[in-house]
Amino acid sequence: PGQVPGRSGLVQFRFLLGGHIFLLCGHRLVREEQRVFQRGDELFRRRIARRAQLAEARLAVGDQLNGLLARSAARRATPEERARFEELALEFERSARRNDDIAFMRVDRAFNDLCLVAARNEFTVSAMGLTQSLSRRFWYHHYKQTPDMPETAKLHADIARAIAAGDEDGAAAATDRLIDKIDAFTRATVSIDF
């Protein structure tokens, strides 16, 4: 108590608490929910700066990767995958009508997984892995701060439907609209945290 442990202390706490360490570009990020130490304003400011950096990196890299992923999935999806994308579009719309955030999260996970498979591009999949899980965690943690889940679900449905139709340009355009929405959400959320 009252002391800040060194790296070896953090490792010991990680094993004692079963905490999760995430690797991103060589930096270790300890899940905020399992954080053992609090260092007042310094920690708070560092956390906000880290969120801003993550948002900046995700937006810069994610814009291009998400568009590539949607185009690739629209081009390479099998007939069975296209049928599943159409089903997911309907599930997104259902979650939007009901304002059902739990259903949306389940459908979103299935959609993201199917996009990664249908794209058939191991390099895009690898690059997406760096930002997708952290972005998803950020959204799940903050989405109730702004009432936009139904709109977000509808934008996902547009992407799923374009991929199902094999419309590469439509999938990319729908992805751009979603990224614009996520960008606005992230900026509003980070400014709320100050």
Side-chain angles (χ1 to χ4, degrees), residues 78-112:
T78 65
E80 294 80 17
E81 289 165 342
R82 292 184 194 288
R84 181 64 182 136
F85 276 114
E86 188 60 43
E87 291 170 9
L88 290 171
L90 295 172
E91 291 177 36
F92 275 127
E93 291 168 345
R94 190 175 311 118
S95 71
R97 277 192 311 276
R98 296 179 181 167
N99 198 20
D100 185 345
D101 54 343
I102 302 301
F104 169 76
M105 290 179 202
R106 288 185 184 130
V107 177
D108 181 50
R109 179 63 184 234
F111 171 76
N112 289 334

Side-chain angles (χ1 to χ4, degrees), residues 69 111-121 124-125 128-129 132:
L69 187 69
F111 171 76
N112 289 334
D113 290 346
L114 185 58
C115 282
L116 294 173
V117 169
R120 291 176 175 69
N121 183 327
T124 303
V125 169
M128 289 298 293
Q132 204 171 51

